[in-house]
Amino acid sequence: MSDQIVRIYTDGACSGNPGPGGWGAIILFDGGKFFEIGGRLNPTTNNQMEILAAKEAIDSLSPDSDWEIEVYTDSMFVINGITKWVHGWVKNGWKTKEGADVSNKKFWLELLATTKRKGLKRIHWNHVKGHAGNLLNERADEIAVGFSKTENFSIELKKGHLNLSALSNAKPFSSPKYISYVSGLFKVHDTWGECEQAVKGRAGAKFKKVKSDSELEKVKKSWGL
Protein backbone atom coordinates (compact mmCIF):
# COMPACT_ATOMS: atom_id res chain seq x y z
CA MET A 1 0.00 0.00 0.00
CA SER A 2 1.34 3.42 -0.99
CA ASP A 3 1.91 6.02 1.70
CA GLN A 4 0.92 8.72 -0.80
CA ILE A 5 -2.68 9.86 -0.91
CA VAL A 6 -4.49 11.79 -3.62
CA ARG A 7 -7.83 13.33 -2.66
CA ILE A 8 -10.45 13.91 -5.33
CA TYR A 9 -13.52 16.12 -4.89
CA THR A 10 -16.16 15.74 -7.58
CA ASP A 11 -19.56 17.13 -8.45
CA GLY A 12 -22.05 17.16 -11.31
CA ALA A 13 -24.78 19.58 -12.30
CA CYS A 14 -27.51 19.94 -14.89
CA SER A 15 -29.39 23.03 -16.05
CA GLY A 16 -32.63 21.19 -16.55
CA ASN A 17 -32.86 17.45 -15.96
CA PRO A 18 -32.34 16.36 -18.70
CA GLY A 19 -30.59 19.35 -20.21
CA PRO A 20 -27.11 20.80 -20.63
CA GLY A 21 -24.88 19.47 -17.88
CA GLY A 22 -21.44 19.91 -16.44
CA TRP A 23 -19.01 18.13 -14.17
CA GLY A 24 -16.09 19.34 -12.12
CA ALA A 25 -13.31 17.91 -9.98
CA ILE A 26 -10.44 19.03 -7.79
CA ILE A 27 -7.45 16.66 -7.54
CA LEU A 28 -5.39 17.38 -4.43
CA PHE A 29 -2.01 15.79 -3.66
CA ASP A 30 -0.04 15.53 -0.43
CA GLY A 31 1.72 18.83 0.16
CA GLY A 32 -1.11 20.92 -1.29
CA LYS A 33 -0.40 20.66 -5.04
CA PHE A 34 -3.67 20.50 -6.98
CA PHE A 35 -5.31 20.84 -10.36
CA GLU A 36 -8.88 21.30 -11.53
CA ILE A 37 -10.74 19.72 -14.42
CA GLY A 38 -14.25 19.93 -15.79
CA GLY A 39 -16.40 19.37 -18.84
CA ARG A 40 -19.82 19.53 -20.40
CA LEU A 41 -22.40 17.32 -22.12
CA ASN A 42 -25.69 18.28 -23.74
CA PRO A 43 -28.17 16.76 -23.32
CA THR A 44 -27.51 14.82 -20.13
CA THR A 45 -28.79 14.35 -16.58
CA ASN A 46 -27.55 15.26 -13.14
CA ASN A 47 -26.87 11.62 -12.25
CA GLN A 48 -24.84 11.10 -15.41
CA MET A 49 -22.73 14.13 -14.59
CA GLU A 50 -22.10 12.88 -11.05
CA ILE A 51 -20.87 9.53 -12.41
CA LEU A 52 -18.80 11.14 -15.15
CA ALA A 53 -17.12 13.52 -12.72
CA ALA A 54 -15.79 10.61 -10.66
CA LYS A 55 -14.73 8.66 -13.74
CA GLU A 56 -12.88 11.56 -15.39
CA ALA A 57 -11.17 12.59 -12.15
CA ILE A 58 -9.81 9.11 -11.46
CA ASP A 59 -8.81 8.74 -15.11
CA SER A 60 -6.83 11.99 -14.90
CA LEU A 61 -4.27 10.38 -12.60
CA SER A 62 -1.07 8.97 -14.01
CA PRO A 63 -1.70 5.37 -15.17
CA ASP A 64 1.40 4.05 -13.41
CA SER A 65 0.75 5.77 -10.05
CA ASP A 66 0.23 3.64 -6.96
CA TRP A 67 -1.43 6.30 -4.77
CA GLU A 68 -4.25 5.59 -2.40
CA ILE A 69 -7.22 7.45 -3.86
CA GLU A 70 -9.79 9.13 -1.61
CA VAL A 71 -12.86 10.24 -3.58
CA TYR A 72 -15.18 12.78 -1.95
CA THR A 73 -18.64 13.32 -3.43
CA ASP A 74 -21.98 14.62 -2.18
CA SER A 75 -23.75 11.96 -4.28
CA MET A 76 -24.75 8.83 -2.37
CA PHE A 77 -26.13 7.67 -5.72
CA VAL A 78 -22.57 7.41 -7.05
CA ILE A 79 -21.16 5.84 -3.88
CA ASN A 80 -23.90 3.20 -3.59
CA GLY A 81 -23.83 2.55 -7.31
CA ILE A 82 -20.11 1.85 -7.62
CA THR A 83 -19.60 0.10 -4.27
CA LYS A 84 -22.83 -1.94 -4.02
CA TRP A 85 -25.36 -1.92 -6.84
CA VAL A 86 -22.98 -2.40 -9.76
CA HIS A 87 -21.95 -5.88 -8.62
CA GLY A 88 -25.56 -7.04 -8.68
CA TRP A 89 -26.13 -5.45 -12.07
CA VAL A 90 -23.15 -7.28 -13.54
CA LYS A 91 -24.42 -10.63 -12.18
CA ASN A 92 -27.91 -9.93 -13.49
CA GLY A 93 -26.74 -8.97 -16.99
CA TRP A 94 -27.29 -5.28 -16.31
CA LYS A 95 -30.87 -5.77 -15.25
CA THR A 96 -32.48 -4.44 -12.07
CA LYS A 97 -34.16 -6.76 -9.58
CA GLU A 98 -37.41 -5.94 -11.37
CA GLY A 99 -35.92 -7.04 -14.71
CA ALA A 100 -35.64 -3.57 -16.21
CA ASP A 101 -32.56 -2.26 -17.98
CA VAL A 102 -30.18 -0.42 -15.66
CA SER A 103 -30.30 3.31 -16.26
CA ASN A 104 -27.07 5.06 -17.23
CA LYS A 105 -25.42 1.72 -18.10
CA LYS A 106 -22.81 3.34 -20.36
CA PHE A 107 -21.66 5.68 -17.57
CA TRP A 108 -21.54 2.92 -14.95
CA LEU A 109 -19.55 0.67 -17.30
CA GLU A 110 -16.98 3.41 -17.86
CA LEU A 111 -16.64 4.18 -14.15
CA LEU A 112 -16.35 0.50 -13.29
CA ALA A 113 -13.64 -0.03 -15.91
CA THR A 114 -11.74 2.98 -14.57
CA THR A 115 -11.87 1.79 -10.97
CA LYS A 116 -10.67 -1.67 -12.01
CA ARG A 117 -7.71 -0.20 -13.89
CA LYS A 118 -6.68 1.86 -10.88
CA GLY A 119 -7.29 -0.95 -8.38
CA LEU A 120 -10.55 -1.32 -6.54
CA LYS A 121 -8.86 -1.71 -3.16
CA ARG A 122 -6.94 1.55 -3.58
CA ILE A 123 -10.05 3.66 -4.18
CA HIS A 124 -11.99 4.76 -1.11
CA TRP A 125 -15.35 6.51 -1.43
CA ASN A 126 -16.39 9.23 1.02
CA HIS A 127 -19.63 11.17 1.32
CA VAL A 128 -19.57 14.91 2.01
CA LYS A 129 -22.67 16.97 2.57
CA GLY A 130 -23.28 19.34 -0.31
CA HIS A 131 -23.38 23.11 0.24
CA ALA A 132 -22.19 22.71 3.83
CA GLY A 133 -19.03 24.81 3.66
CA ASN A 134 -16.51 22.25 2.38
CA LEU A 135 -14.28 24.45 0.22
CA LEU A 136 -13.28 21.81 -2.30
CA ASN A 137 -16.78 20.42 -2.66
CA GLU A 138 -18.06 23.96 -3.20
CA ARG A 139 -15.40 24.58 -5.87
CA ALA A 140 -16.23 21.32 -7.68
CA ASP A 141 -19.87 22.40 -7.66
CA GLU A 142 -18.92 25.82 -9.04
CA ILE A 143 -17.06 24.23 -11.94
CA ALA A 144 -19.88 21.78 -12.68
CA VAL A 145 -22.55 24.48 -12.62
CA GLY A 146 -20.38 26.75 -14.74
CA PHE A 147 -20.02 24.16 -17.49
CA SER A 148 -23.73 23.31 -17.31
CA LYS A 149 -24.59 26.91 -18.11
CA THR A 150 -22.11 27.65 -20.89
CA GLU A 151 -19.74 25.70 -23.09
CA ASN A 152 -17.33 28.65 -22.83
CA PHE A 153 -16.89 28.34 -19.06
CA SER A 154 -13.25 28.91 -18.11
CA ILE A 155 -11.56 27.31 -15.11
CA GLU A 156 -9.67 30.20 -13.54
CA LEU A 157 -7.27 28.22 -11.33
CA LYS A 158 -6.30 25.07 -13.18
CA LYS A 159 -3.35 24.21 -10.95
CA GLY A 160 -1.33 25.49 -8.03
CA HIS A 161 -0.99 24.90 -4.30
CA LEU A 162 -3.53 24.98 -1.50
CA ASN A 163 -2.93 25.76 2.15
CA LEU A 164 -3.87 22.45 3.76
CA SER A 165 -3.88 23.87 7.28
CA ALA A 166 -6.35 26.55 6.16
CA LEU A 167 -8.55 23.87 4.65
CA SER A 168 -8.53 21.89 7.87
CA ASN A 169 -9.82 24.99 9.66
CA ALA A 170 -12.68 25.33 7.19
CA LYS A 171 -14.72 22.45 8.59
CA PRO A 172 -18.44 23.01 9.17
CA PHE A 173 -19.51 24.45 12.53
CA SER A 174 -20.86 21.92 15.01
CA SER A 175 -24.09 23.94 14.84
CA PRO A 176 -25.11 26.83 12.54
CA LYS A 177 -24.25 30.39 13.47
CA TYR A 178 -26.01 33.61 12.53
CA ILE A 179 -24.36 36.79 11.34
CA SER A 180 -25.68 40.32 11.21
CA TYR A 181 -24.61 43.65 9.81
CA VAL A 182 -26.40 46.65 11.27
CA SER A 183 -25.38 50.30 10.95
CA GLY A 184 -21.79 49.38 10.08
CA LEU A 185 -21.45 46.82 12.89
CA PHE A 186 -20.82 43.15 12.01
CA LYS A 187 -21.59 40.48 14.63
CA VAL A 188 -21.61 36.67 14.90
CA HIS A 189 -24.40 35.15 16.99
CA ASP A 190 -24.68 31.63 18.39
CA THR A 191 -28.50 31.57 18.19
CA TRP A 192 -31.22 32.97 15.97
CA GLY A 193 -32.75 34.69 19.00
CA GLU A 194 -29.62 36.78 19.49
CA CYS A 195 -29.45 37.63 15.80
CA GLU A 196 -33.13 38.48 15.60
CA GLN A 197 -32.79 40.84 18.54
CA ALA A 198 -29.93 42.63 16.77
CA VAL A 199 -31.75 43.12 13.44
CA LYS A 200 -35.44 43.36 14.30
CA GLY A 201 -36.87 46.74 13.40
CA ARG A 202 -33.52 48.05 12.13
CA ALA A 203 -33.67 49.60 8.67
CA GLY A 204 -31.15 48.17 6.20
CA ALA A 205 -30.10 45.34 8.55
CA LYS A 206 -28.57 42.26 6.95
CA PHE A 207 -28.51 38.78 8.47
CA LYS A 208 -27.73 35.22 7.42
CA LYS A 209 -27.39 31.70 8.81
CA VAL A 210 -23.96 30.19 8.05
CA LYS A 211 -22.60 26.69 8.55
CA SER A 212 -18.83 27.15 8.31
CA ASP A 213 -16.04 29.71 8.40
CA SER A 214 -15.75 29.59 4.62
CA GLU A 215 -19.45 30.30 4.18
CA LEU A 216 -19.21 33.11 6.73
CA GLU A 217 -16.35 34.73 4.83
CA LYS A 218 -18.18 34.33 1.53
CA VAL A 219 -21.25 36.15 2.88
CA LYS A 220 -19.10 38.91 4.38
CA LYS A 221 -17.47 39.41 1.01
CA SER A 222 -20.86 39.60 -0.70
CA TRP A 223 -21.82 42.29 1.82
CA GLY A 224 -18.72 44.28 0.91
CA LEU A 225 -16.91 43.62 4.20
Side-chain angles (χ1 to χ4, degrees), residues 60-193:
S60 72
L61 300 175
S62 173
D64 58 353
S65 64
D66 63 349
W67 298 307
E68 293 294 304
I69 303 170
E70 296 284 347
V71 181
Y72 295 85
T73 173
D74 57 21
S75 174
M76 284 304 302
F77 171 76
V78 170
I79 294 175
N80 286 330
I82 197 59
T83 63
K84 299 176 183 178
W85 305 333
V86 71
H87 306 298
W89 295 334
V90 170
K91 290 180 180 179
N92 294 334
W94 288 92
K95 297 287 186 179
T96 66
K97 292 180 180 179
E98 294 75 25
D101 292 334
V102 172
S103 298
N104 307 310
K105 176 182 175 181
K106 170 182 178 293
F107 291 86
W108 287 120
L109 279 170
E110 291 178 351
L111 179 56
L112 181 60
T114 293
T115 58
K116 286 182 176 179
R117 283 197 302 271
K118 295 297 182 183
L120 293 175
K121 292 183 178 180
R122 292 196 294 109
I123 302 175
H124 313 283
W125 298 87
N126 305 274
H127 181 253
V128 293
K129 188 175 181 180
H131 307 292
N134 184 298
L135 293 179
L136 298 182
N137 174 258
E138 297 283 358
R139 177 56 180 161
D141 173 74
E142 183 179 2
I143 296 171
V145 171
F147 275 112
S148 75
K149 292 183 176 179
T150 173
E151 60 187 37
N152 296 320
F153 180 74
S154 175
I155 300 177
E156 295 180 0
L157 298 174
K158 289 191 176 181
K159 58 184 178 180
H161 283 81
L162 292 173
N163 185 331
L164 296 183
S165 62
L167 286 176
S168 67
N169 292 329
K171 296 178 181 178
F173 298 139
S174 57
S175 60
K177 294 184 182 295
Y178 300 84
I179 56 178
S180 66
Y181 185 57
V182 184
S183 301
L185 182 63
F186 175 82
K187 287 187 176 181
V188 179
H189 312 275
D190 289 326
T191 67
W192 164 241

Side-chain angles (χ1 to χ4, degrees), residues 10-21:
T10 71
D11 206 0
C14 209
S15 295
N17 199 19

